[in-house]
Amino acid sequence: MQVAVADRAELPSTWKADSIPRADGLGSYDDAGRLGSQAAEPGWRQAVADALARASTVPGVVDALIAQATLVTRSNGALLALCDQRTAVLRLAASRGAAVALMDGRESIPLCAIHPIAEAARTGRTIVESDSELQHRWPGLGDANRYSGIGTLALAPVVVEGDVAAVLALSFPPAHVPSETLHERLSVLTQLGAVALERAQLGEAARAAAEAKSAFLAMMSHELRTPLNAIVGYTSLLADEVVGPLNQTQREQLHRVQDQARHLLSLIEELLSLTRAEGGPGELQFERVTPAALVEEALVLLVPMARRKGLTMEWHAPPATIPLVTDADKVRQVLAHLLSNAVKFTAAGLVQIETREVGEGAHRAVEFIVRDTGPGIPMVDIERIFEPFWQGARTHAQRASGTGLGLHVARRIARLLGGDILVDSHPGEGSTFTLRLPARDE
């Protein structure tokens, strides 16, 4: 795992007890020599847990753990090295104060090195060594010129799922006497740190997987769309009899090829819409638009489909112009999804669309309401219809093919625009989908 090295803010070389805030927020430590073993310090564990819980990334967890370790142990320096088991290397993630000297200016050290951090990682045991022991076990650390600020060194492994994921190193000044509670505090810090670090690593892995999936879908969608556009173009030339006359059977079969090619293009466009929506709002192009014009432009695409199915389409235009400032292209895309679904899932009857203004003042909104006389949706499935790739009962999916992305993408777009999509539906009574957008007028 690669983690960027955090800024190494140097701590003061001399600490004053009355200047160090307690982790539980109840004042300051009053023992300049060490943390009292009898001090109750209620809430310090919760303070550490809260600080780590607020961190959502690996660098954030590292910074929080370093800060909390310094506070609750009164060390004059802290360092965290992350263990990369694949390369058998410990990489510096963050450091502050006297502990900076432990890495000798390096960004990493091998696990096999004769070094206290490497030993803690190899053995998985907590190490606390005084000045005389440091000189005996690691002669380099006894060099007064380089490690004058370190009298006692404490190292604790952070274990995630049985493997050492990191090593926390704390340095204490030569006059410091290790507290009787130091081992307990190190245990709490490393246990809470392990939970936070694992959560952050899983979150980053999930985000990376989502980004990779979106990039793959976008790439494949573009690659598939290119040959399909060529198929549509050449079949159009054939249908127009540019290269020669067709008989009735040939013409019918050619139309089927065109219909299927256009259907595939629509599925690919849904995949592209999904990747764009998951990528965030991007650049929203807000402009003053007329809701009625947006509906009419969407209807142009759907009326021919409705006529082929023998459906009636009704458009109830608003009595007056409703002011609306939004991204016109994205609203048209959502309306096309809603109208397409209404036509697709309605075997016979009626599809209606209505536009109206609701609310007052800052709560004004514009609603685009699409009603159909289709099979309706069971209450248990109302929210599931917005899940990606979910298509409802198999009998419905057989009658109306698709990716199951349309409503998922439509709701994401609606929410990017500050609105939402509402549903009212009952089996056998049809469905009503309402696109509600804030009625911004500037």
Side-chain angles (χ1 to χ4, degrees):
M1 177 180 60
Q2 301 290 333
V3 178
V5 179
D7 292 337
R8 304 176 193 172
E10 295 289 339
L11 295 182
S13 58
T14 303
W15 289 88
K16 293 184 179 180
D18 58 2
S19 67
I20 304 174
R22 288 171 56 130
D24 53 14
L26 299 177
S28 61
Y29 297 112
D30 54 6
D31 185 350
R34 69 184 189 186
L35 287 171
S37 61
Q38 303 301 318
E41 295 181 53
W44 73 268
R45 291 176 178 82
Q46 189 61 50
V48 173
D50 290 345
L52 290 171
R54 288 192 292 270
S56 60
T57 64
V58 170
V61 170
V62 169
D63 289 343
L65 186 55
I66 288 286
Q68 291 301 311
T70 303
L71 283 174
V72 302
T73 64
R74 287 216 24 241
S75 64
N76 69 345
L79 176 151
L80 193 78
L82 293 168
C83 184
D84 189 336
Q85 297 288 351
R86 294 171 301 176
T87 59
V89 166
L90 286 154
R91 300 186 186 281
L92 177 64
S95 62
R96 60 167 64 180
V100 173
L102 290 173
M103 294 296 290
D104 292 327
R106 295 174 291 177
E107 295 298 325
S108 64
I109 56 174
L111 272 173
C112 61
I114 301 175
H115 193 282
I117 297 176
E119 181 171 327
R122 287 195 304 269
T123 64
R125 296 197 306 268
T126 296
I127 300 172
V128 178
E129 301 284 12
S130 64
D131 185 39
S132 59
E133 294 167 326
L134 287 173
Q135 293 183 45
H136 174 69
R137 295 185 61 180
W138 298 287
L141 295 182
D143 186 337
N145 294 327
R146 293 159 62 199
Y147 302 100
S148 58
I150 301 176
T152 300
L153 185 64
L155 304 106
V158 179
V159 180
V160 176
E161 294 186 346
D163 293 325
V164 175
V167 173
L168 174 65
L170 302 174
S171 61
F172 299 89
H176 175 84
V177 179
S179 167
E180 295 174 10
T181 64
L182 179 59
H183 280 277
E184 175 195 356
R185 292 167 187 271
L186 286 173
S187 177
V188 172
L189 285 164
T190 54
Q191 288 177 23
L192 293 176
V195 173
L197 189 60
E198 182 180 21
R199 184 188 66 245
Q201 288 172 337
L202 290 173
E204 292 188 353
R207 287 189 288 272
E211 290 174 2
K213 179 203 70 175
S214 296
F216 173 77
L217 287 175
M219 179 189 69
M220 290 305 299
S221 297
H222 283 295
E223 292 296 323
L224 290 171
R225 191 164 54 175
T226 300
L228 276 173
N229 279 326
I231 291 172
V232 171
Y234 282 115
T235 53
S236 296
L237 291 175
L238 292 172
D240 292 338
E241 299 185 342
V242 172
V243 295
L246 301 174
N247 60 41
Q248 186 60 32
T249 301
Q250 291 171 329
R251 188 173 290 104
E252 290 173 358
Q253 292 178 351
L254 193 57
H255 285 316
R256 291 193 185 99
V257 172
Q258 288 180 305
D259 288 342
Q260 293 303 312
R262 292 191 182 99
H263 176 62
L264 280 175
L265 281 173
S266 70
L267 299 184
I268 292 169
E269 184 57 38
E270 284 188 355
L271 288 174
L272 285 173
S273 297
L274 174 65
T275 58
R276 286 192 292 264
E278 288 186 339
E283 294 185 6
L284 297 175
Q285 303 294 329
F286 284 96
E287 58 181 307
R288 184 179 295 275
V289 297
T290 303
L294 296 177
V295 174
E296 289 170 357
E297 290 165 2
L299 283 173
V300 169
L301 303 174
L302 275 301
V303 167
M305 185 190 304
R307 286 176 179 167
R308 286 197 296 271
K309 293 187 67 174
L311 302 178
T312 300
M313 293 199 75
E314 291 184 358
W315 158 224
H316 298 279
T321 300
I322 300 173
L324 179 63
V325 174
T326 189
D327 188 309
D329 289 338
K330 287 183 168 52
V331 174
R332 276 191 293 266
Q333 184 179 349
V334 175
L335 290 175
H337 278 309
L338 297 182
L339 286 167
S340 176
N341 271 4
V343 172
K344 184 191 303 182
F345 287 96
T346 303
L350 179 69
V351 173
Q352 293 179 321
I353 182 165
E354 176 186 355
T355 306
R356 67 185 182 188
E357 186 176 14
V358 297
E360 296 180 356
H363 301 289
R364 288 188 309 113
V366 174
E367 292 185 342
F368 299 86
I369 305 165
V370 178
R371 302 183 183 91
D372 64 58
T373 56
I377 305 165
M379 183 62 66
V380 69
D381 291 337
I382 288 295
E383 281 303 312
R384 295 196 65 191
I385 62 176
F386 292 102
E387 296 176 6
F389 307 110
W390 193 84
Q391 294 180 308
R394 179 61 181 164
T395 54
H396 295 165
Q398 288 171 337
R399 291 199 299 266
S401 59
T403 60
L405 288 172
L407 287 174
H408 173 72
V409 172
R411 172 171 272 188
R412 288 184 70 99
I413 292 174
R415 290 178 174 176
L416 288 176
L417 296 174
D420 206 348
I421 294 178
L422 312 176
V423 187
D424 181 22
S425 184
H426 303 279
E429 299 179 14
S431 304
T432 300
F433 287 80
T434 302
L435 167 62
R436 178 179 294 170
L437 297 173
R440 301 186 184 93
D441 50 16
E442 62 177 18

